[in-house]
Structure formats: C-alpha cells, structure tokens
Amino acid sequence: QPGIAMNIRTLPCGTCYVCGAAGEALYDGLRDRLFGAPGEWNFKRCTNHGCGILWLDPMPVLEDIELAYRTYFTHQTPELSVHIGAKLRPRIMNFVKSGYLSRKYGYLNGPSTPFQNWAGFCMYLDPLRHADLDASVIYLHQRSRGRLLDVGCGNGETLRTMRDLGWKVEGLDPDPLAVQRAQALGLPIQRGSLADCSYSPNRFDAITMVHVIEHLHDPLFELQQAYRLLKKGGLLVMITPNVASLGHRLFRRDWIHLDPPRHLHIFACRPLAALTERAGLRVGKLFTTVRWAPYAFAHSMLIRWRGVSSINVAPPRLLYALARSMAFIEWAMLTPQPLLGEEIVLVAQKDC
C-alpha cells in the first residue's frame, strides 16, 4: 500500500532500477531545500560498484509528483532567467559567442570576420564559459532545417535559442504553467511526456533531454520512445547530474543535485550508457563537464550553511567567486579523472 509524505504519496523502492541490485541507505531525513515541497526523503545507493546510482526510497507515486513542482523554476519566462554575467557587456559577449559557435558548431549569424573567429577561439581559454556555450546548443552541430524535439523544455528558453539558429523546433513538458509560458512566445509545445505524445515515428533529427532523465519514474521506457521517434542517424543528447562528481563528494547530503523529491534517480556514466544501449541506441560520446559547476558549488555551500537556497536568486558575489575557483579546480582534475565533472553528457545515435 502507498505510504504518504505530507500530501505526496509514496511507494517503497528497495532495488536499483538499472541493475536490480539491493540498495543501501545513504541519506535520510532530507527536505526540499530549493522549492519547499513537503515531506522528508531518503536516498539509497546501489550496492553494485559497477553501477552505484542513487534513488529515492520511498519514491513519490507518479500521480502525485506534480505536487513537487508547484513553485519550480521553469514557471519563469525566459526573460526572467538571469544568467550571472549575462548583462555584462552583452554586445561583446554575443559577438564572442557567435564566433565560438560558428567555429565549433557551424552556426552562422550573418557573415563572420577574422576578428570574430579569433574572439571565438579565445573562448577556449575559459573552460567554464565555453562549457556553458557548448550546452547552450546542446552539443548539436548546425543542421539546416533539422527537426528538433526538446523533452522537458520548461519555459522554452533552449527551444528559442535553437529556433533562432535554424532548427525546426518542438517541445514537450508536463508542467502546464511552463507550457503556457513557452506557448506565449509562439513556440510549438505540447503538454505531456514521450509516452503520451502524438508524434509519428522517425520524425526527428535530434531529441534532447537536459536535466530530464533524473526526474523520470521509468527512464528506460522514455528512452525507448525516443528511439521510436528518431530518424535513422538521429541523435539523442542527454545532460544529467553526475553522482560521481566532485561536488557530490564534497557536499554529500547538501549537494544541490540531490534535489528531493524531484530527482528520482541520479546516475553515473556507466549505468546511464547501459540504459541507453538497452533502448536500442548506440552511445557515441560520453563525458562529464564543469558546465554549471560554479552554481552547483555556490548553492551547495548555501544549503550547507543556511539549510536552504534558491536557484532563482544569484548567490552573493564573493561566494560565487569562491565557487568559480572550485569549478576551475574540478576542471583541472578532469584530465586525470575525466568522470569527475558535475554533469554527464551522453550523445547517442539511432543506427537503424
């Protein structure tokens, strides 16, 4: 019988979703320290050392999970989503960004100049900034009139970027308020998931899931649906928190990416790749990145010191400077330990 965690009903979940191994208690009595969802939550860790994922036990039932998203950040319009430094010399930053995206991914916003190409090359000197730019196009190279589906598109900020770069975009999100925000921008968004969408098979050149798979009750089923909707040669790109990251090792139960009760499964690289291949897709790229690491470190420190944080509010400047320094350390450690980054990036292809 379902239990209850202050209005969010739960069911026990004692074994690993990926490999079926038993779980061991890792963290208990956690509260939602970002958006104030009710209840106390426990994480288990897979005892199979080749897997090692984390999951909530007990886990919210599917019918009640929307209660955890009542004040979620995707309710914002894109104009309110403030990136630290985004308003600092915006014309210069846009110029440099265009040079970088043109050089690395083939996106052209008008004719490029030698100086712009040089400026784009200079972006490689800041690993945190260029990791952010790579993620802004979801690691996808330019494809003229390519058809893109963003699963978990939220308020449509990423879709708007990709549309402006020439993709034919569509989006899915289960959050009705986020969908309403995105539709107000003229974006073609459906409410729901891959399981209940009306898309025809072999429709998309690319499907993206940015911080989505960790929210899913049945990730394998969603990956199988992605396989069905991709054209032959189509790409699936996933970005998700990395349970083996430096941030998790440092902050443990205060790590922002635990995010109970919304994050149901938190993956490591190997089990995520295994799940993707089980869905029929061939994993082409699998790596970790320091993208968003300064924010993760800053907000994890706030959670440790204050007990709460809010990703809708920029952290204090001195704290962010410290967090950014820590992120550079993490980046330097990726050479000897390439799976230590805050986020996993997986790019898979449908071969047949």
Side-chain angles (χ1 to χ4, degrees), residues 138 146-160 162-163 167-176 178-183 186-199 203-204 206-210 212 222 229:
I138 331 171
R147 193 179 293 274
L148 168 68
L149 174 65
D150 187 19
V151 180
C153 64
N155 57 21
E157 188 169 7
T158 298
L159 277 181
R160 188 170 63 169
M162 300 306 285
R163 180 190 63 184
W167 286 83
K168 297 177 67 175
V169 301
E170 299 182 54
L172 273 176
D173 200 279
D175 184 339
V179 170
Q180 180 182 346
R181 302 285 194 196
Q183 289 175 339
L187 295 167
I189 310 296
Q190 291 188 34
R191 182 187 175 192
S193 66
L194 286 175
D196 52 28
C197 70
S198 57
Y199 299 123
R203 177 179 175 86
F204 296 101
I207 294 176
T208 57
M209 298 182 179
V210 179
V212 169
E222 294 291 313
L229 295 177

Side-chain angles (χ1 to χ4, degrees), residues 125-253:
L125 301 177
D126 185 343
L128 304 185
R129 181 70 70 178
H130 81 67
D132 194 43
L133 291 180
D134 290 336
S136 74
V137 295
I138 331 171
Y139 303 90
L140 289 171
H141 289 264
Q142 191 274 340
R143 184 177 298 193
S144 180
R145 305 303 291 169
R147 193 179 293 274
L148 168 68
L149 174 65
D150 187 19
V151 180
C153 64
N155 57 21
E157 188 169 7
T158 298
L159 277 181
R160 188 170 63 169
T161 296
M162 300 306 285
R163 180 190 63 184
D164 292 344
L165 290 171
W167 286 83
K168 297 177 67 175
V169 301
E170 299 182 54
L172 273 176
D173 200 279
D175 184 339
L177 186 52
V179 170
Q180 180 182 346
R181 302 285 194 196
Q183 289 175 339
L185 299 173
L187 295 167
I189 310 296
Q190 291 188 34
R191 182 187 175 192
S193 66
L194 286 175
D196 52 28
C197 70
S198 57
Y199 299 123
S200 58
N202 308 308
R203 177 179 175 86
F204 296 101
D205 298 287
I207 294 176
T208 57
M209 298 182 179
V210 179
H211 283 244
V212 169
I213 197 165
E214 66 270 21
H215 295 262
L216 302 178
H217 283 81
D218 193 354
L220 177 60
F221 182 74
E222 294 291 313
L223 293 176
Q224 291 168 335
Q225 295 303 307
Y227 176 90
R228 180 180 67 86
L229 295 177
L230 281 170
K231 298 177 182 178
K232 182 178 179 180
L235 298 177
L236 170 69
V237 184
M238 289 190 288
I239 304 174
T240 189
N242 177 22
V243 72
S245 71
L246 177 64
H248 183 217
R249 297 181 187 188
L250 289 175
F251 294 103
R252 309 300 295 170
R253 64 187 291 122

Side-chain angles (χ1 to χ4, degrees), residues 8-187:
I8 299 179
R9 293 172 297 167
T10 62
L11 283 171
C13 185
T15 57
C16 175
Y17 177 87
V18 177
C19 70
E24 60 182 0
L26 185 63
Y27 307 125
D28 58 12
L30 295 180
R31 291 187 173 274
D32 179 7
R33 293 165 289 184
L34 296 173
F35 301 101
E40 292 190 353
W41 305 94
N42 311 319
F43 274 100
K44 281 190 172 175
R45 176 172 55 194
C46 181
T47 53
N48 175 2
H49 294 295
C51 181
I53 75 167
L54 305 187
W55 68 89
L56 284 179
D57 181 29
M59 188 174 290
V61 299
L62 180 61
E63 294 79 8
D64 288 359
I65 193 64
E66 66 177 22
L67 297 175
Y69 293 88
R70 291 287 175 86
T71 60
Y72 201 48
F73 73 96
T74 54
H75 292 174
Q76 297 180 40
T77 61
E79 290 78 7
L80 295 179
S81 297
V82 178
H83 186 292
I84 292 178
K87 294 185 178 180
L88 179 63
R89 301 183 181 90
R91 291 184 180 178
I92 295 175
M93 287 307 303
N94 287 337
F95 180 82
V96 175
K97 175 180 178 180
S98 295
Y100 178 84
L101 295 180
S102 172
R103 183 184 185 93
K104 186 169 184 179
Y105 292 99
Y107 292 108
L108 292 173
N109 186 13
S112 60
T113 65
F115 180 67
Q116 190 174 29
N117 287 332
W118 175 83
F121 176 78
C122 289
M123 189 60 70
Y124 286 91
L125 301 177
D126 185 343
L128 304 185
R129 181 70 70 178
H130 81 67
D132 194 43
L133 291 180
D134 290 336
S136 74
V137 295
I138 331 171
Y139 303 90
L140 289 171
H141 289 264
Q142 191 274 340
R143 184 177 298 193
S144 180
R145 305 303 291 169
R147 193 179 293 274
L148 168 68
L149 174 65
D150 187 19
V151 180
C153 64
N155 57 21
E157 188 169 7
T158 298
L159 277 181
R160 188 170 63 169
T161 296
M162 300 306 285
R163 180 190 63 184
D164 292 344
L165 290 171
W167 286 83
K168 297 177 67 175
V169 301
E170 299 182 54
L172 273 176
D173 200 279
D175 184 339
L177 186 52
V179 170
Q180 180 182 346
R181 302 285 194 196
Q183 289 175 339
L185 299 173
L187 295 167

